[in-house]
């Protein structure tokens, strides 16, 4: 594919590459570098060719949805299962039976094949070792408070933002929290003494 030729990037292959790079999370600058053009040229192409804009947008939407799903999953908590495996030699009788099955299938598909060719094919396709699962360990990943707060502040800003707007006579005001409201009388007196001294 020619570097820097917009016509090449309007083809099915070119648009698919652009979409894939966007889905992989590359920035416009990185995508332009992959094409072999400057970022400004890519911006000009995006203004002129809707196909390029759509390919980049489609790729980025997939990643955005995946990240949203991961954030929501993290905010709510989830269950995960770990698997422990061990690689072992296949029992000789089982190995022989598996290879005979593969050899018979190959023989039916290739009736002209010689016995040695069939045996070689079966030996290549059926491994002598396999992995077996020893156990599974299921555990809970608890909800992540930071992820939950981030999600709520962005999805329900009127209910979860740090500052609340309140209506005052004559216009809108901002409710300010009192940094001293949780201090004891002793702490307040000490602060007052510090300010006087």
């Amino acid at each position: 594919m020619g570097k820097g030729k917009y016509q090449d990037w309007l083809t099915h292959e070119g648009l698919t590459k652009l979409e894939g790079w966007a889905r992989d999370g590359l920035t416009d600058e990185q995508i332009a570098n992959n094409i072999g053009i400057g970022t400004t040229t890519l911006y000009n192409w995006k203004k002129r060719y809707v196909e390029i804009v759509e390919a980049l947008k489609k790729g980025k939407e997939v990643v955005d949805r995946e990240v949203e799903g991961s954030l929501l999953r993290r905010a709510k908590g989830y269950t995960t299962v770990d698997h422990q495996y061990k690689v072992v030699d296949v029992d000789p009788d089982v190995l022989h039976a598996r290879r005979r099955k593969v050899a018979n299938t190959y023989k039916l598909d290739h009736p002209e094949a010689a016995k040695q060719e069939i045996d070689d094919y079966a030996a290549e396709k059926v491994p002598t070792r396999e992995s077996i699962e020893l156990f599974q360990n299921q555990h809970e990943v608890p909800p992540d408070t930071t992820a939950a707060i981030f999600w709520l502040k962005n999805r329900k800003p009127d209910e979860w933002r740090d500052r609340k707007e309140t209506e005052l006579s004559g216009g809108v005001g901002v409710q300010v929290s009192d940094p001293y409201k949780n201090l004891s009388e002793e702490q307040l007196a000490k602060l007052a003494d510090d300010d006087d001294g």
Side-chain angles (χ1 to χ4, degrees):
M1 188 169 289
K3 295 276 186 186
K5 295 181 180 176
Y6 74 89
Q7 298 93 337
D8 293 338
W9 297 97
L10 293 174
T11 65
H12 176 73
E13 179 186 348
L15 294 171
T16 302
K17 280 186 178 182
L18 292 174
E19 182 181 329
W21 288 334
R23 187 175 40 252
D24 290 344
L26 270 63
T27 64
D28 282 350
E29 182 179 336
Q30 292 167 323
I31 291 171
N33 186 51
N34 284 356
I35 294 171
I37 60 174
T39 308
T40 305
T41 303
L42 179 60
Y43 292 147
N44 289 334
W45 287 7
K46 287 169 65 175
K47 289 178 189 172
R48 293 178 61 197
Y49 307 106
V50 69
E51 300 94 329
I52 290 176
V53 172
E54 291 300 317
L56 294 172
K57 182 179 174 186
K58 185 177 177 186
K60 289 178 182 180
E61 283 178 3
V62 170
V63 174
D64 290 346
R65 296 292 179 213
E66 288 174 351
V67 171
E68 285 175 2
S70 296
L71 177 63
L72 179 60
R73 187 168 165 246
R74 190 70 180 109
K76 293 171 67 176
Y78 56 94
T79 302
T80 185
V81 178
D82 298 324
H83 302 271
Q84 181 72 37
Y85 295 94
K86 180 179 182 180
V87 177
V88 296
D89 291 327
V90 176
D91 178 87
D93 293 334
V94 172
L95 180 64
H96 178 72
R98 288 178 183 172
R99 286 188 172 169
R100 285 287 34 112
K101 182 178 178 182
V102 169
N104 288 336
T105 303
Y106 187 79
K107 187 190 270 187
L108 289 173
D109 292 341
H110 303 87
E112 74 289 344
K115 181 174 180 356
Q116 185 62 47
E117 180 184 345
I118 294 169
D119 290 343
D120 289 346
Y121 178 82
E124 179 185 324
K125 292 298 178 186
V126 180
T128 59
R129 296 176 61 83
E130 66 183 350
S131 98
I132 59 169
E133 186 171 39
L134 297 177
F135 65 87
Q136 295 180 7
N137 182 24
Q138 180 175 323
H139 59 92
E140 298 291 321
V141 176
D144 182 279
T145 308
T146 304
I149 290 169
F150 183 82
W151 182 271
L152 290 168
K153 281 185 176 183
N154 285 283
R155 297 281 294 196
K156 296 178 133 190
D158 292 339
E159 298 173 40
W160 286 91
R161 77 175 80 157
D162 292 331
R163 293 175 19 157
K164 300 237 185 228
E165 294 180 359
T166 56
E167 185 70 32
L168 301 174
S169 61
V172 175
V174 176
Q175 181 178 358
V176 180
S177 62
D178 179 4
Y180 304 110
K181 78 176 186 183
N182 292 329
L183 297 179
S184 67
E185 288 184 23
E186 282 180 14
Q187 292 169 322
L188 287 171
K190 182 169 178 3
L191 283 173
D193 290 340
D194 289 345
D195 285 343
D196 292 338

